[in-house]
Amino acid sequence: MSQKVAGVKGMNDLLPGEIEIWQHVEAQARELFGRFGYGEIRTPMVEDTALFVRSVGEETDIVGKEMYTFNDKADRSLSLRPEGTAPAARAYIEHSIANQEPLTRWFYAGPMFRYERMKTGRYRQFYQIGAEAYGAKEGAQDVEMMDMVVQFLERLGLKDITLNINSLGDEVCRPTYHAKLVEYLQAHREALCGDCQKRMEKNPLRVLDCKNEKCQAIAAAGPNVLESLCEPCRAHFDDVQRKLTALGVRHVVNPRMVRGLDYYTRTVFEFIASHPALGTASTVGAGGRYDKLVKSLGGPDAPAVGFACGLDRLVLLLKESGQQFTVRPDVFVAVADAGSHDAALVLASRLRREGLRVEFDTRGGSLKSQMKRADKSSAEFTLVLGEAERTSGQAKLKPMAGGEPIPVALDEVARVVRERKVVSA
RNA sequence: GCGGCCAUAGCUCAACUGGUUAGAGCGCCGGACUGUGACUCCGGAGGUUGCCGGUUCGAUCCCGGUUGGCCGCCCCA
């Protein structure tokens, strides 16, 4: 026997039974984001490696350790996209969108790739639904976006998700805060954990959300980002909070929340689920403002804000919620005698053209076995077609949940099924 | 990348301190009314115990490696 084939570690197949949940989440996002005026974009899954190096940051683990990078046949360095903001910004720049409209709202949904240690809610090919808004520096844009995520999660029926917000400042106040923080951390160097001693050099902000208790205590007593904001950033953040409150969006200000990607400025936010099934993969959505990114990639000086939700994690939560998403067939067409098989195939075809979801066992088989299949298929009704029905043009729709069979003319099936469904729904 | 746990049928799990043909429930297929599912009963298929090697008369069980999954760290949606 041959060696059995196997999929790639960290990359999963989605099959019927589970895919319906994914389709539901995506459908909800598309519908809702459309209401907010966001248009869908689809960019390639592969980009020039330099795009991510310049945007996400060469020093980040995402770019430095986790990207799937390879050279194509012309020896160009390409990478599977590890996130969606940079590709969207690239498209925004490449198509000169800023010259065509002052405010642009886009969303995307698709796979991202990071070579990470696998665990629940963390995969090497994972899926994000995200949005980007270009052209508005106003806090109203940040708030609109957070509101959109809140409504999205509401529609999915997900509870116990907390919105955390913070501001990281801009090119004026961030360096100042950065310096103050490093100076403070230097003074407490000895008390920090080993990881934090390294973070201090590479990415001092990361000390703020270290899980080590001692580090947390030191961080809590140190300089606070929000107190170090320059006046414009302070005003911007106040505006964001005021508007969130006006919309009734519940949120928590967390001055120690930071971001892994280098391009963020000012507002950052994170949606954190408390459900234990997610474990440490509790962040279901995250985003923030990146006013300098577009320009740094050679585009116009366009302020922007965006977010991404981890689709895998939302699906995990929906599975836990026990909601059902499978769609049931309307009718199962069963054949009573071999001579009626062709007629049944024709009937099934016609009913499908008329809009019904129809199951039909192309293999034929005993009526009994077909009835069992009808039951397994969870069809609403079963219609048995045999010589008698073909001769009379009359059949019966048997409600699989129980109840009296409904007499129906063969050319009235679709209409009757629709009527009965409306009544039962 | 670091530390720890786990691996038996499609799924959830058994198998007395290594001992003959590795079991059950669910699921799947068929039958118990030759035009009717579900509940019940009967029967069947399905495993070289993840893979490779070692110790042993003998390994699902002990040891090493490997692959995959899970937990914490790192990182992060």
Side-chain angles (χ1 to χ4, degrees):
Chain A
M1 202 193 285
S2 306
Q3 175 75 44
K4 216 199 272 185
V5 296
V8 176
K9 182 184 171 88
M11 305 195 181
N12 303 314
D13 298 318
L14 300 174
L15 307 178
E18 183 188 4
I19 198 79
E20 291 83 1
I21 306 176
W22 293 73
Q23 291 172 330
H24 178 253
V25 176
E26 287 169 6
Q28 293 298 313
R30 287 202 165 83
E31 209 282 323
L32 180 73
F33 295 0
R35 287 189 200 176
F36 277 78
Y38 286 73
E40 181 170 357
I41 61 165
R42 297 192 188 183
T43 62
M45 270 169 263
V46 177
E47 295 277 355
D48 192 324
T49 300
L51 173 65
F52 301 112
V53 172
R54 289 171 62 184
S55 57
V56 177
E58 190 157 22
E59 298 300 314
T60 62
D61 280 12
I62 292 178
V63 168
K65 301 178 183 172
E66 299 178 351
M67 273 208 302
Y68 282 88
T69 297
F70 59 96
N71 285 8
D72 70 5
K73 291 182 189 286
D75 215 31
R76 284 176 286 245
S77 179
L78 304 180
S79 292
L80 262 43
R81 62 183 184 194
E83 57 100 51
T85 294
R90 194 223 80 226
Y92 177 79
I93 294 165
E94 197 161 339
H95 298 279
S96 301
I97 305 299
N99 292 337
Q100 303 170 51
E101 57 186 26
L103 181 57
T104 299
R105 293 183 176 93
W106 284 351
F107 80 91
Y108 59 83
M112 306 294 163
F113 304 84
R114 293 181 197 172
Y115 191 87
E116 292 189 282
R117 191 86 160 109
M118 273 266 326
K119 56 200 326 181
T120 305
R122 299 186 63 174
Y123 312 103
R124 290 181 174 178
Q125 174 172 331
F126 61 106
Y127 295 80
Q128 289 191 329
I129 292 183
E132 317 288 345
Y134 307 93
K137 65 179 188 307
E138 287 74 15
Q141 189 60 58
D142 311 37
V143 171
E144 178 194 84
M145 191 160 272
M146 287 185 255
D147 179 42
M148 187 163 84
V149 180
V150 166
Q151 291 197 34
F152 177 44
L153 298 173
E154 269 173 20
R155 284 168 70 101
L156 294 176
L158 297 176
K159 309 280 185 210
D160 302 315
I161 296 177
T162 307
L163 168 59
N164 282 20
I165 65 170
N166 191 20
S167 176
L168 299 178
D170 61 9
E171 75 279 11
V172 174
C173 51
R174 178 125 78 147
T176 312
Y177 173 68
H178 207 275
K180 264 164 64 181
L181 180 64
V182 172
E183 187 185 350
Y184 169 80
L185 293 176
Q186 283 290 0
H188 296 79
R189 186 190 181 92
E190 298 307 316
L192 294 170
C193 70
D195 283 328
C196 280
Q197 295 192 10
K198 286 179 211 149
R199 289 186 181 113
M200 210 166 66
E201 333 253 293
K202 201 171 153 192
N203 190 355
L205 287 180
R206 276 288 170 196
V207 176
L208 298 179
D209 65 352
C210 178
K211 285 167 187 155
N212 182 295
E213 278 183 33
K214 285 172 75 180
C215 298
Q216 280 185 18
I218 291 168
N224 182 319
V225 222
L226 296 176
E227 289 165 6
S228 306
L229 295 179
C230 59
E231 200 37 49
C233 285
R234 172 86 253 166
H236 191 273
F237 191 56
D238 286 347
D239 186 43
V240 166
Q241 291 181 72
R242 192 168 56 249
K243 287 179 161 66
L244 281 175
T245 303
L247 285 184
V249 174
R250 303 177 62 147
H251 60 279
V252 175
V253 176
N254 177 0
R256 281 155 63 195
M257 180 177 69
V258 300
R259 276 276 79 92
L261 292 70
D262 286 352
Y263 50 65
Y264 285 109
T265 52
R266 291 195 168 170
T267 315
V268 292
F269 56 91
E270 213 167 281
F271 288 84
I272 300 170
S274 59
H275 198 290
L278 290 180
T280 52
S282 57
T283 300
V284 295
R289 181 162 278 285
Y290 49 96
D291 289 340
K292 301 299 162 192
L293 177 65
V294 174
K295 191 175 184 187
S296 79
L297 290 174
D301 192 2
V305 54
F307 80 89
C309 280
L311 194 38
D312 307 77
R313 295 175 184 180
L314 295 178
V315 168
L316 232 36
L317 288 175
L318 284 173
K319 282 183 188 165
E320 290 292 325
S321 78
Q323 290 177 251
Q324 291 298 313
F325 300 97
T326 49
V327 188
R328 307 165 57 186
D330 296 312
V331 181
F332 188 102
V333 175
V335 188
D337 50 76
S340 300
H341 197 269
D342 286 357
L345 182 62
V346 170
L347 174 65
S349 169
R350 202 187 76 219
L351 295 179
R352 287 162 178 155
R353 181 165 281 120
E354 290 170 353
L356 297 188
R357 298 177 63 90
V358 181
E359 276 294 299
F360 174 62
D361 193 333
T362 50
R363 303 169 307 169
S366 71
L367 181 59
K368 189 181 199 63
S369 66
Q370 291 181 70
M371 288 306 292
K372 283 186 178 178
R373 277 198 62 75
D375 187 52
K376 298 269 163 46
S377 78
S378 74
E380 294 262 358
F381 302 99
T382 295
L383 184 152
V384 176
L385 188 72
E387 202 177 337
E389 287 80 8
R390 284 193 290 138
T391 310
S392 66
Q394 295 287 318
K396 283 178 180 162
L397 279 170
K398 175 169 182 152
M400 297 306 279
E404 284 303 300
I406 304 152
V408 61
L410 284 176
D411 51 14
E412 293 278 280
V413 174
R415 184 179 62 75
V416 174
V417 166
R418 270 198 205 90
E419 281 170 8
R420 304 298 289 215
K421 276 181 68 188
V422 172
V423 172
S424 63

